[in-house]
Amino acid sequence: MPDISVNGTTLYYEQEGNEKETLVFGHSLLFNLRMFDSQVEYLKSKYTCIRFDFRGHGKSESTDNGYDLNTLTEDFAGLVQELNIGNCHFIGFSMGGMVALRAAIKYPELIKSLILIDTSSEPEPKSGMIRNKAMLFVAKYIGLAPIAGRVMKMFFGKSFLHDPERESTRELYSNYFKTNDRKGIVKAVKGVLYRKGITGKLKLINQPTTILVGEEDQLTDHQKAEILHRNIRNSKLEVIPRAAHMSPVEEPQIVNSIIDKHLRAFYQNS
């Protein structure tokens, strides 16, 4: 699959399906585009599905700078424009959802609708900052492997972590995290930790929006999803049972069904 040069960086992306309507997927901090494997497999027969690794993640370039959310938003806009998509449905998860919110505000012409998964419009809570800074120190000066276990417990819920049938998937995602470029990940984490909140700007979003949150999510919990729902006028909120922060991986069939329902409603109403 190809790379594309946009906004001073080179992004790795994958495109599957060859249909008129396009879905673009933006992944979370610390992982990569593979987290949407189940969603793309389910949707690619009906839509063109494009997913990409954010800078510093997966197979994309680790640049010296440009990891703040506003720059990542410009990366997304550049990707859409370079690929001549026109406009798309943006499915953003966690950090990808933060980018989706900013893109919908700054580039509304590029986005038909939003699906926001386990994400937030608020700044990083101060309550977890000491833990986050400690993990960032270890990552920067020692490496990613020593904190992989802690990351897995933060991102995945007990239902997933204790399921013996999911052992291979747990190992896969642990390896995704550990094989990231360390310097890129450290910079990307700082970009998310020190973000500014945009809740006051959510009223500018007019696109149909579905918000999903895992019932066990401790990183971007139900309260943050409710803030999105209250402030985005044309929005719906869905809670994913048995899922924590990584609901597209933990409960893919439920997430797929909600995405499908969102898209069917969009075209029925348009």
Side-chain angles (χ1 to χ4, degrees):
M1 289 291 181
D3 295 325
I4 189 167
S5 295
V6 298
N7 196 32
T9 189
T10 300
L11 301 179
Y12 173 78
Y13 75 97
E14 295 183 2
Q15 179 172 330
E16 296 179 65
N18 188 29
E19 302 301 319
K20 180 180 179 181
E21 303 298 334
T22 300
L23 315 179
V24 175
F25 298 80
H27 65 79
S28 75
L29 182 68
L30 305 184
F31 293 97
N32 58 44
L33 58 73
R34 294 264 71 83
M35 66 177 301
F36 293 114
D37 280 350
S38 295
Q39 286 70 50
V40 171
E41 182 64 28
Y42 180 76
L43 294 162
K44 66 183 182 181
S45 64
K46 303 179 193 176
Y47 305 93
T48 297
C49 296
I50 296 174
R51 47 186 166 158
F52 64 99
D53 288 332
F54 284 107
R55 63 172 73 199
H57 292 77
K59 297 180 181 179
S60 285
E61 180 183 4
S62 290
T63 53
D64 291 335
N65 49 46
Y67 293 88
D68 61 283
L69 292 172
N70 290 332
T71 302
L72 298 186
T73 299
E74 297 300 325
D75 290 352
F76 158 78
L79 177 81
V80 171
Q81 291 160 355
E82 284 293 317
L83 293 177
N84 197 29
I85 293 169
N87 53 22
C88 66
H89 301 277
F90 195 172
I91 301 169
F93 171 79
S94 193
M95 180 180 73
M98 296 173 188
V99 170
L101 289 168
R102 287 160 176 80
I105 293 167
K106 187 171 183 180
Y107 297 104
E109 72 279 4
L110 298 183
I111 298 176
K112 289 185 174 182
S113 77
L114 292 172
I115 298 173
L116 305 171
I117 308 174
D118 296 287
T119 194
S120 174
S121 60
E122 295 284 281
E124 187 68 18
K126 293 181 180 180
S127 58
M129 198 60 80
I130 294 176
R131 173 202 65 193
N132 293 332
K133 287 182 177 180
M135 293 178 66
L136 196 61
F137 180 88
V138 173
K140 183 176 181 179
Y141 294 105
I142 301 175
L144 299 178
I147 60 172
R150 179 59 179 158
V151 166
M152 291 293 289
K153 290 180 181 179
M154 290 170 61
F155 275 69
F156 292 94
K158 293 180 180 179
S159 300
F160 176 87
L161 291 173
H162 296 157
D163 185 349
E165 295 185 2
R166 310 295 289 272
E167 182 177 359
S168 61
T169 305
R170 290 194 293 271
E171 183 177 350
L172 187 66
Y173 276 83
S174 179
N175 287 333
Y176 285 154
F177 169 69
K178 290 185 288 188
T179 55
N180 276 310
D181 178 82
R182 182 172 65 179
K183 292 181 180 179
I185 285 297
V186 168
K187 293 174 182 177
V189 170
K190 289 181 178 179
V192 171
L193 290 185
Y194 298 106
R195 70 187 184 273
K196 294 181 179 180
I198 59 166
T199 298
K201 297 181 179 180
L202 295 180
K203 62 185 178 182
L204 299 174
I205 297 176
N206 294 308
Q207 296 92 334
T209 300
T210 295
I211 302 154
L212 289 73
V213 62
E215 69 173 351
E216 299 176 13
D217 192 349
Q218 299 298 313
L219 292 180
T220 52
D221 57 24
H222 194 277
Q223 182 179 2
K224 296 180 179 65
E226 285 283 2
I227 290 172
L228 293 174
H229 183 39
R230 287 198 305 268
N231 288 278
I232 299 176
R233 60 174 60 91
N234 191 10
S235 67
K236 297 179 180 179
L237 175 60
E238 302 270 5
V239 178
I240 311 302
R242 300 180 302 279
H245 191 61
M246 294 285 277
S247 54
V249 179
E250 295 172 276
E251 292 293 337
Q253 292 181 338
I254 297 175
V255 172
N256 293 349
S257 175
I258 293 171
I259 294 173
D260 186 51
K261 181 172 68 173
H262 168 96
L263 293 168
R264 284 189 287 107
F266 178 89
Y267 287 105
Q268 287 171 359
N269 297 328
S270 62

